[in-house]
């Protein structure tokens, strides 16, 4: 049984060397045959002379006994070559018959084939091989522009003239692909090509596409660089099978660097969707490697152009679908209505369902105080910008489960989402916080794109950024992709039409972190957003790379590093990180995002470091411990319900102005006592001189006498005590065991109150303390609050501040 492979014609159909047979004055048409140049199964190529034009030509003479199929291929070659006018294509001058014998007349190229040259010089210098391949790809690009796929590209079909210019020949089995409204040539499922150079999809009998020629070009380039065949297989049928199931590799040695190796490997991808999809795309990548200084960042960069084409024509990347692009525009508009945005989201059923699951996580229901069942209600309660950000998160994740390297994609996605969540939480104004979310997430867009589209290059980048010879991630990306991750992400964002401010924020700032607070008004807040995003990403990396005490130390170092530039305290940054981690865990659960046991990404979803570890790490800092007592065991469900319900009652009262300020304060205190099972609560208010917070109202055990004991100095001389420091900085504080901070406690508290565990919630108005809520329990380590409970408790306190501001 014969192998069902349709191979090309003569091995040297227009060559100018190697023949020896003499024609003996024979003439075909007007052409005088001088010398045989090459011979194949169905044709012979002669050096001939054209007396009319006084020039030598290569004449390809088909056997008189050739079958109909061979004659069809013959005519196909004539048609294909006649339409191609390119310096790297051997042109056809004439197609005719003489006494029933068909012949083609080509330009005579004095020289040999690439195949012949590689027999004497198997391995070429990298720059020579790339330069030669650029000419071949120019020819292929011209053919592809005409809708022609060569289908049988190999070294024996590349002529090398005396000028060194490569010329592609032998289009005998070339095929046309569908272009526009043109009808594609019928394809009968035959395997067309030469084993060893045939692409996986051609080996499966699929219809011709330009990517098939790209694969063959990649094989040829790999052979020139490595000095031998990439698929060593004597059995042609076995070669056809292996190319469908095995990834071709080549031994990149000598002057072949990582970037060139990566380009060749991408051209050799078994999955055509991961391969350069046109010869021009491969040409641009090689041209950039050969002349890196001549490239500028725009959408014509080969790597970037490849991604943009892929995303335009295929829906496989979890990026910005057309609906989310519109959502981005609507959410950023000051004129579009809530209804318009809701209607846009409802067009995507999957997006709608996932968004509703996300807004019903405990983080949002704690704030809204209710379950959300409609998109319009979600937009109204959570906000247009927050919904926009959640939509982006959902779409980014959408198809990652379908990829072979889904685990790595999940880790990169979780990393980006953690950084985004933290950046948002570190920004005081809600609107700016939502923009900070996007800035931090999209500083990772280049990494996500690379991990999704170029998994092998992404793996090599991860290898290059560690070890004794480590380079930066951007240096590694430039070596392998030809452009930085920043450039890749910003280029795609520009093509998506994202706002200019966001494109600027995506650029990771270089150099040392500013030692002074960055003006949030400078450059429209973009500069602060860039540094905030960089800090949030470094904080996330510290979580991913470390565990236990080492993680605590790493987190503290990063917080110390960025806090001054952001105008924050180290403890504030650490506290936000703790809450962001809990929030991320809730979002991951709502999105159905699971992480394998043992994966580094699980560290992003684990409980934050213990307060004892945080306390030790911050011992050198002049700040009280901001801690959630360990272990962070959440309250019983009924307590959460009471807190949530109470917050909604207080919010309704404040918004409706149904109660006076003192009534709101009493309602807040009573709700906290009942929900948290507290022993005593005391509310302190600033005195007339503004020098102290003094106790005004008490609830619970000792409520009658305790308020009179509370006197917190706001203008303390020397080292402030713990209460004064907390109020001066507006920091919430939970002390699990007061013995650990005894030296910092005021004398009146140590001697007359002496509560073993207590909570302090300062009330701040325009940056200054106006009040304080104190709460305690009778046993040490008995008051334990998780992030969800803290969100609700702080919500109560904030409503009390609102009531006071209106009094």
């Amino acid at each position: 049984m014969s192998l069902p492979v349709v191979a090309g014609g003569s091995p040297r159909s227009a060559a100018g060397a190697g023949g020896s047979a003499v024609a003996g004055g024979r003439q075909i048409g007007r052409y005088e045959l001088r010398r045989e140049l090459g011979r194949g199964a169905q044709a012979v190529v002669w050096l001939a002379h054209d007396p009319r034009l006084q020039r030598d030509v290569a004449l390809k003479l088909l056997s008189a006994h050739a079958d109909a199929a061979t004659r069809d291929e013959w005519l196909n070659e004539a048609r294909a070559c006649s339409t191609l006018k390119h310096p790297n294509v051997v042109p056809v001058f004439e197609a005719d018959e003489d006494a029933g014998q068909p012949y083609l007349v080509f330009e005579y190229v004095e020289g040999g084939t690439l195949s012949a040259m590689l027999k004497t010089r198997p391995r070429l210098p990298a720059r020579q091989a790339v330069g030669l391949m650029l000419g071949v790809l120019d020819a292929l690009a011209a053919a592809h522009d005409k809708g022609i796929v060569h289908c049988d590209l190999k070294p024996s079909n590349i002529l090398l003239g005396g000028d060194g210019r490569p010329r592609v020949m032998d289009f005998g089995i070339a095929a046309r692909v569908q272009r526009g409204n043109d009808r594609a040539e019928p394809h009968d499922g035959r395997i067309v090509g030469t084993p060893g150079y045939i692409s996986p999809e051609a080996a499966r009998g699929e219809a011709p596409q330009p990517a098939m020629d790209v694969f063959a070009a990649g094989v040829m380039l790999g052979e020139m660089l490595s000095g031998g065949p990439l698929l060593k297989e004597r059995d042609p049928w076995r070669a056809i099978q292996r190319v469908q199931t095995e990834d071709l590799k080549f031994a990149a040695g000598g002057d072949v660097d990582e970037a060139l190796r990566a380009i060749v490997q991408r051209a050799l991808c078994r999955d055509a969707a991961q391969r350069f999809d046109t010869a021009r795309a491969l040409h641009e990548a090689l041209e950039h490697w050969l002349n890196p200084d001549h490239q500028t960042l725009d959408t014509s960069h080969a790597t970037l152009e490849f991604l943009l084409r892929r995303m335009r024509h295929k829906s496989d990347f979890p990026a910005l679908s057309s609906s989310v692009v519109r959502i981005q525009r609507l959410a950023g508009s000051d004129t579009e209505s809530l209804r318009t945005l809701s209607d846009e989201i409802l067009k995507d059923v999957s997006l709608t369902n996932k968004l509703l699951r996300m807004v019903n996580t405990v983080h949002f229901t704690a704030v809204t105080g209710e379950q959300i069942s409609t998109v319009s209600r979600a937009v109204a309660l959570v906000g247009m910008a927050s919904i926009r950000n959640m939509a982006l998160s959902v779409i980014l994740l959408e198809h990652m489960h379908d990829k072979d390297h889904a685990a790595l994609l999940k880790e990169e996605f979780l990393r980006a989402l953690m950084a985004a969540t933290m950046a948002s939480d570190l920004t005081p104004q809600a609107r700016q916080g939502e923009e900070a979310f996007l800035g931090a997430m999209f500083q990772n867009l280049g990494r996500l794109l690379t991990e999704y589209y170029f998994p092998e290059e992404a793996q090599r980048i991860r290898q290059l950024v560690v070890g004794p010879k480590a380079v930066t991630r951007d240096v590694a990306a430039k070596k392998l992709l030809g452009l930085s991750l920043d450039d890749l992400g910003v280029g795609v964002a520009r093509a998506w039409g994202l706002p200019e401010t966001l494109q600027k924020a995506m650029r990771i700032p270089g150099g040392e972190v500013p030692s002074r607070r960055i003006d949030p008004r400078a450059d429209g807040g973009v500069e602060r957003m860039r540094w905030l995003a960089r800090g949030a990403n470094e904080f996330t990396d510290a979580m991913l790379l470390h565990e236990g005490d080492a993680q605590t130390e790493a987190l503290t170092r990063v917080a110390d590093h960025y806090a001054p530039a952001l105008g924050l305290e180290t403890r504030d940054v650490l506290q936000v990180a703790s809450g962001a981690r809990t929030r991320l865990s809730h979002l991951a659960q709502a999105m159905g995002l699971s992480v394998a046991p043992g994966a580094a990404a699980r560290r992003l979803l684990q409980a934050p470091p213990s307060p004892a570890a945080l306390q030790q790490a911050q011992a050198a800092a002049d700040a009280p411990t901001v801690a959630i007592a360990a272990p962070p065991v959440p309250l019983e469900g009924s307590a959460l319900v009471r807190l949530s319900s109470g917050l909604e009652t207080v919010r309704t009262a404040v918004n409706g102005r149904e109660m006076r300020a003192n009534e709101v304060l009493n309602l807040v205190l009573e709700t906290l006592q009942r929900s948290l099972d507290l022993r005593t609560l005391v509310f302190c208010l600033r005195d007339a001189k503004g020098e102290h917070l003094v106790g005004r109202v008490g609830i619970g055990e000792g409520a009658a006498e305790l308020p009179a004991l509370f006197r917190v100095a706001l203008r303390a001389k020397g080292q402030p005590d713990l209460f004064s420091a907390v109020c001066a900085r507006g920091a919430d504080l939970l002390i699990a065991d007061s013995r650990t901070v005894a030296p910092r406690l005021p004398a009146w508290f140590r001697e007359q109150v002496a509560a073993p565990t207590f909570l302090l919630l300062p009330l701040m108005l325009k940056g200054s303390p106006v009040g304080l809520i104190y709460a305690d329990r009778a046993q040490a380590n008995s008051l334990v609050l998780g992030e969800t409970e803290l969100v609700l408790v702080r919500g109560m306190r904030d409503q009390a501040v609102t009531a006071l501001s209106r009094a």
Side-chain angles (χ1 to χ4, degrees), residues 36 60 74 106 139 147 158 188 225 232 370 402 552 571 581 608 625 643 680 726 749 776 803 805:
E36 184 180 314
K60 187 175 183 179
W74 184 272
F106 296 90
I158 307 298
D188 56 10
L225 295 172
K232 298 178 181 179
E370 63 180 85
D402 301 331
T552 303
R571 58 189 174 79
R581 186 179 288 187
T625 303
L643 275 172
T680 305
V726 165
F749 184 89
D776 67 28
S805 68

Side-chain angles (χ1 to χ4, degrees), residues 426 567-577 618 626 729-731:
L426 283 170
L568 301 169
E569 297 290 339
T570 296
R571 58 189 174 79
D572 297 330
V573 180
L574 292 170
Q575 188 174 26
V576 165
Q618 297 177 81
V626 289
R729 297 178 179 180

